[in-house]
Amino acid sequence: MNFTSSVFVAFCLCVYPIYFLLARRVRRRNLFILAASYLFYGWWDWRFLFLIVATCTIDYKVAHWIEDASCPTWKKRILLISLVSNLGVLGFFKYFNFFVGSLGLLLGHLGFQPHLTALRIILPVGISFYTFQSLAYVFDVYRAKIRAERDPTVFFAFVAFFPQLAAGPIERAGHMLPQFREVRLPSGTDIRNGVWLLFFGFFTKMVVADTLAPWVNLNFQANQESGWSTILATVAFGIQIYGDFKGYSLIAKGLAALMGFELMWNFNFPYWSTSVQEFWHRWHISLSTWLRDYLYIPLGGSRMAPLRVYLNILVTMLLGGLWHGAGWNFLIWGIWHGAALCCGRLYRLAFGEIRSKSLGWLVTMFVVFTGWFFFRAGDYSTWRGMLGSLHNLAWMRVHTAMLQIVCLSALPLALLECAEWFHGQDQLTVAKANRFVVVAIEAFLAIMILAVSHRTAVPFIYFQF
């Protein structure tokens, strides 16, 4: 069920009135949230409901066993149950065909004639998000940061909460479980902020990201002959993926706010960053902090010898790239960012911070948008064809049209970013803003959204991850 579909609008019109009727009865409310979330998820393919139910059941019991176990050795062994089950399911659905295909290519280069058969596997929507969310809960119980949840409706609703089920943010149990244990009714501020977040989110998705999508798809091709097409398509994709994913995150946060729940902020002006390290503090915050807390720090973090620190960074970013999908493009993207983080660390140790913020921003954006090229190009033939086109920088009329589309899409997003920045750098709130101004902006956003609502809906990019 896509957020931008008429089916989802009908879904919300049915769910929210019933939610408010049950809001003061916590257990019934949680059961209703769970049922609505399973309906939302099962709308894509009801068979995958068994996966999310199995994940929740295993991790719910494993957390209890870990908490009740008195021997540290047994706690570790029980933790392995959750690791194997979660990563096993994720690995099978997401990476089985990738590894089979890579193994076949390797054996072929070695002179063998392998007969390896790929399976017709459908990737369940949101599997990477809810798997990491549930796994983080088990890790937190193992580390004694939180107590194991004893009410199954609370835990199951926490994992399956429909606003953030399909593409995050990857929430922490310590933040969300207490909200599911108490009565949550939206205040006037919650409603105003929630409505604003929905307008802003749908605008960045439907008006900005979806406008750029056909241009990006048209120009990311192996037989590309124009260098300017490659450059403009890469810039367009960088804007598209930001508008697409930030749009989803704002819609999710707005939907939750209208129910009285608070989700974390997943973006904090990443394209304003003046270093790659800062970019990863601002981009997809729920994933970057997950990788830091459950992978980088357990590997030793920055407490180890220098070479080991750089290895930890590379391993973390490589696996972060692989989290996005089974493809060499994602691995290269992760290694590219890992290498950039290592180079940035070396530079700071040798020379300190870059004094020129403008230069730091330019270098950071070059790294980030070059990474987006590898992320989007997909395969070697596309990389080779598009990179080969850079020798031809002759300007043509079609590039003028492309530049206009990119600029017209980026301008309103940039204006909203500036308004958000000056209003509050770490959050988007309209509680204290002039209501007339807010309503005027929302009316303008609504007109723009309605103007493009006739177009075929473009799936959210992160649904495939």
Side-chain angles (χ1 to χ4, degrees):
M1 194 181 297
N2 198 323
F3 280 173
T4 59
S5 67
S6 57
V7 175
F8 182 73
V9 174
F11 170 82
C12 290
L13 291 175
C14 294
V15 165
Y16 278 87
I18 300 174
Y19 172 85
F20 287 114
L21 291 175
L22 301 174
R24 296 188 182 278
R25 300 182 178 183
V26 174
R27 186 172 180 81
R28 293 184 181 181
R29 179 208 64 191
N30 288 339
L31 284 171
F32 176 71
I33 289 176
L34 185 60
S37 298
Y38 283 169
L39 174 62
F40 170 82
Y41 192 74
W43 199 265
W44 277 292
D45 194 324
W46 63 269
R47 294 170 297 179
F48 292 133
L49 284 172
F50 294 106
L51 279 179
I52 192 171
V53 171
T55 295
C56 291
T57 302
I58 292 171
D59 288 344
Y60 176 75
K61 296 302 296 183
V62 163
H64 291 175
W65 296 338
I66 289 174
E67 190 172 70
D68 296 339
S70 57
C71 175
T73 302
W74 276 106
K75 289 179 183 287
K76 290 182 179 180
R77 291 175 179 175
I78 296 169
L79 178 64
L80 284 175
I81 298 174
S82 178
L83 280 170
V84 171
S85 62
N86 280 294
L87 299 182
V89 169
L90 187 62
F92 173 77
F93 279 95
K94 201 163 185 177
Y95 307 110
F96 179 83
N97 283 341
F98 171 68
F99 287 118
V100 167
S102 299
L103 179 60
L105 288 174
L106 176 62
L107 293 176
H109 285 304
L110 294 175
F112 296 96
Q113 298 294 329
H115 297 283
L116 303 176
T117 303
L119 302 178
R120 297 182 63 183
I121 298 175
I122 301 174
L123 180 65
V125 172
I127 187 171
S128 299
F129 291 91
Y130 72 72
T131 297
F132 269 34
Q133 183 163 308
S134 186
L135 190 57
Y137 159 76
V138 176
F139 273 120
D140 286 346
V141 172
Y142 173 77
R143 296 172 178 174
K145 288 186 174 182
I146 60 172
R147 300 294 304 274
E149 179 55 54
R150 299 292 168 172
D151 186 342
T153 59
V154 169
F155 178 70
F156 278 59
F158 153 68
V159 176
F161 193 39
F162 74 85
Q164 45 92 216
L165 174 58
I170 306 169
E171 280 288 351
R172 302 297 179 88
H175 177 228
M176 289 299 293
L177 286 178
Q179 297 186 56
F180 282 97
R181 298 190 193 109
E182 60 191 23
V183 174
R184 304 293 296 189
L185 281 171
S187 64
T189 299
D190 291 330
I191 293 174
R192 288 194 295 274
N193 286 341
V195 171
W196 169 256
L197 289 165
L198 290 177
F199 276 117
F200 194 177
F202 280 114
F203 177 85
T204 56
K205 163 59 178 171
M206 297 176 66
V207 179
V208 176
D210 290 359
T211 297
L212 291 171
W215 286 88
V216 172
N217 295 337
L218 180 65
N219 286 280
F220 267 88
Q221 52 185 334
N223 61 349
Q224 181 59 259
E225 297 179 354
S226 169
W228 281 112
S229 293
T230 295
I231 293 170
L232 289 172
T234 301
V235 173
F237 178 69
I239 299 171
Q240 179 200 356
I241 194 171
Y242 180 46
D244 191 281
F245 196 18
K246 180 171 183 174
Y248 178 93
S249 299
L250 292 177
I251 294 169
K253 191 169 176 64
L255 291 170
L258 293 179
M259 302 171 77
F261 286 83
E262 181 186 357
L263 298 181
M264 69 180 294
W265 293 95
N266 213 14
F267 292 90
N268 185 19
F269 313 103
Y271 287 162
W272 295 46
S273 303
T274 56
S275 70
V276 179
Q277 182 184 36
E278 183 184 358
F279 175 80
W280 279 104
H281 289 158
R282 295 171 175 270
W283 175 273
H284 200 174
I285 298 169
S286 63
L287 176 64
S288 61
T289 53
W290 197 102
L291 292 171
R292 179 197 65 197
D293 295 343
Y294 301 106
L295 184 57
Y296 178 68
I297 292 177
L299 286 173
S302 57
R303 304 184 306 274
M304 312 296 286
L307 288 177
R308 178 61 185 274
V309 172
Y310 297 126
L311 179 61
N312 291 343
I313 293 172
L314 286 171
V315 169
T316 300
M317 295 309 299
L318 185 149
L319 293 176
L322 192 61
W323 176 89
H324 285 82
W328 290 105
N329 56 318
F330 300 118
L331 285 172
I332 291 172
W333 177 76
I335 293 171
W336 171 260
H337 274 275
L341 288 169
C342 290
C343 291
R345 182 181 179 86
L346 280 169
Y347 183 91
R348 287 190 298 274
L349 290 174
F351 306 105
E353 297 289 344
I354 297 179
R355 294 183 180 180
S356 171
K357 294 296 183 182
S358 298
L359 178 60
W361 180 81
L362 287 172
V363 172
T364 302
M365 291 303 102
F366 173 79
V367 171
V368 169
F369 279 82
T370 301
W372 287 139
F373 169 79
F374 291 109
F375 188 97
R376 177 61 177 80
D379 55 59
Y380 174 74
S381 62
T382 305
W383 302 337
R384 182 178 179 181
M386 295 187 71
L387 290 175
S389 71
L390 293 177
H391 75 277
N392 177 18
L393 291 177
W395 192 264
M396 295 183 295
R397 185 176 298 176
V398 66
H399 298 138
T400 301
M402 287 179 62
L403 184 60
Q404 291 173 346
I405 291 292
V406 172
C407 291
L408 289 174
S409 298
L411 180 60
L413 180 59
L415 291 175
L416 286 172
E417 288 276 295
C418 290
E420 181 183 346
W421 176 271
F422 287 114
H423 186 69
Q425 294 184 19
D426 60 346
Q427 62 179 354
L428 185 63
T429 175
V430 295
K432 298 180 181 179
N434 183 290
R435 293 192 182 184
F436 175 79
V437 174
V438 171
V439 171
I441 294 174
E442 289 175 345
F444 171 76
L445 297 180
I447 292 171
M448 296 294 290
I449 292 167
L450 290 173
V452 300
S453 61
H454 66 281
R455 298 187 305 202
T456 302
V458 179
F460 285 90
I461 294 174
Y462 267 71
F463 277 15
Q464 62 185 296
F465 305 142

